[in-house]
Amino acid sequence: MNQRPMRVAAIHDLSGFGRCSLTVILPVLSAMGVQVCPVPTAILSTHTGGLGEVVMRDLTDYTIPCLHHYQQLELDFDCVYSGFLSSVNQIDHCMEFFAAYPHGLAVVDPVMGDHGKPYRTYTREMRSRMGELVAQADIITPNLTEASMLLGQEYSHAPLTSSQAKSMLARLSEKGPANVVVTGVTLAAGEYANIGYDRERNAYWKAVGEYVPVSYPGTGDIFASVLTGSLLMGDSLPMAMDRATRYVELTIKTTFSYSPDPRYGVMLERTLEWLTHRELPQQYQPL
Ligand code: PXL
């Protein structure tokens, strides 16, 4: 019997202030009973979303020696999960990590931008090579901006009909990953949803959330980490999507009620306990 918790190598940045990437992924997955081994891609004083001159140290030369050490220790990982990268070479390094643990769940959050714009540290070359990383993934979790970049199409936040939404998911899956979840989609019925596709079962799903008129950094990272933890716990794709949607919604609404500066991120310290209850999600629907 396997006595140890599920173990994830999380290849993301460490931003000291602003609650995104490793500073949310670590508490979320730990609260879900999953061990996280952070592999920082860079250290930043804050996220890059409007907090002035960020102090940043790139750690591109760290990733592969770190992998070699883990291999020497014969450590096994049940999942490798990549996110915010700080150089184009890190795309190759992530691919080496995925190749080193072929039986682990390969999660790629193709972090590149939001609200129709690339993040300021993401070069054109990084964006154009992200498809190679996506091709290695079992599951990807782009937001609508990143989904448009991956598909090489113009970003639009116009409402999508169900068949347009399904077509987008299927086209993303054709790039490699058998499971695709796109976050922050407005559907023609006026619903604000996270939508998903399980190619093996040919099943399309939606988890509808309440729209809150404010945007916080890091919510995509929280969504992807709850989704990952949920899948590692044995949830189906729609259950995992729903668990992640419910938790992000609860955390956004909790934060919104305090009206803090949105750049400071969400108050997950108030809501983490919810993740320990492990109630069965049930609000997902077929798309
Ligand atoms: O949440 C995505 C993200 C991760 N890491 C850094 C960021 C952002 C988004 O702004 O700036 C450093």
Side-chain angles (χ1 to χ4, degrees):
M1 205 167 108
N2 187 3
Q3 300 284 359
R4 68 165 174 81
M6 287 286 185
R7 185 184 292 144
V8 178
I11 313 175
H12 295 254
D13 72 283
L14 179 66
S15 290
F17 183 78
R19 300 188 183 100
C20 70
S21 41
L22 286 174
T23 58
V24 298
I25 291 161
L26 275 154
V28 161
L29 283 168
S30 297
M32 295 179 83
V34 174
Q35 180 187 6
V36 190
C37 303
V39 182
T41 54
I43 299 178
L44 294 88
S45 49
T46 69
H47 59 67
T48 61
L51 287 166
E53 267 317 300
V54 177
V55 182
M56 181 166 174
R57 297 288 181 273
D58 172 67
L59 290 175
T60 298
D61 62 0
Y62 170 76
T63 320
I64 294 300
C66 171
L67 170 63
H68 290 162
H69 187 200
Y70 293 160
Q71 287 175 315
Q72 237 168 39
L73 292 171
E74 297 186 9
L75 281 182
D76 202 11
F77 288 98
D78 305 293
C79 172
V80 176
Y81 164 26
S82 74
F84 182 97
L85 308 179
S86 64
S87 73
V88 72
N89 290 342
Q90 287 180 358
I91 292 180
D92 297 306
H93 300 168
C94 287
M95 290 199 277
E96 276 197 51
F97 241 103
F98 287 123
Y101 300 98
H103 304 297
L105 181 71
V107 180
V108 172
D109 188 359
V111 176
M112 290 187 282
D114 206 356
H115 308 292
K117 294 198 200 90
Y119 292 133
R120 47 176 142 136
T121 55
Y122 266 74
T123 61
R124 191 181 293 275
E125 192 188 5
M126 286 169 82
R127 284 181 268 139
S128 74
R129 288 204 53 210
M130 190 56 84
E132 296 172 43
L133 197 51
V134 159
Q136 307 294 311
D138 295 314
I139 180 160
I140 60 169
T141 59
N143 60 31
L144 196 54
T145 302
E146 292 152 353
S148 309
M149 289 177 182
L150 288 170
L151 292 172
Q153 67 186 41
E154 194 76 6
Y155 169 78
S156 159
H157 54 84
L160 298 181
T161 62
S162 162
S163 66
Q164 286 170 325
K166 286 180 181 172
S167 152
M168 180 170 68
L169 291 165
R171 282 179 290 130
L172 286 165
S173 178
E174 279 166 17
K175 299 194 173 288
N179 294 274
V180 174
V181 177
V182 178
T183 58
V185 176
T186 306
L187 296 173
E191 294 164 325
Y192 187 69
N194 300 312
I195 59 174
Y197 174 48
D198 176 343
R199 188 173 64 208
E200 209 172 288
R201 294 178 180 78
N202 192 30
Y204 294 88
W205 302 97
K206 64 179 175 183
V208 177
E210 203 178 310
Y211 180 74
V212 179
V214 64
S215 170
Y216 299 98
T219 50
D221 303 325
I222 296 175
F223 180 89
S225 45
V226 178
L227 186 86
T228 300
S230 201
L231 291 171
L232 291 173
M233 276 158 49
D235 284 347
S236 64
L237 180 70
M239 286 165 77
M241 286 167 56
D242 198 34
R243 191 184 298 284
T245 303
R246 299 282 77 79
Y247 181 66
V248 170
E249 182 180 74
L250 170 71
T251 307
I252 288 179
K253 284 187 80 173
T254 301
T255 309
F256 186 61
S257 74
Y258 288 91
S259 312
D261 185 329
R263 297 172 302 171
Y264 294 4
V266 288
M267 295 180 173
L268 80 167
E269 302 82 5
R270 293 302 308 267
T271 59
L272 275 175
E273 197 226 347
W274 184 90
L275 290 171
T276 65
H277 299 165
R278 303 195 179 195
E279 69 186 46
L280 287 180
Q282 50 175 327
Q283 292 181 50
Y284 50 83
Q285 299 165 61
L287 176 63

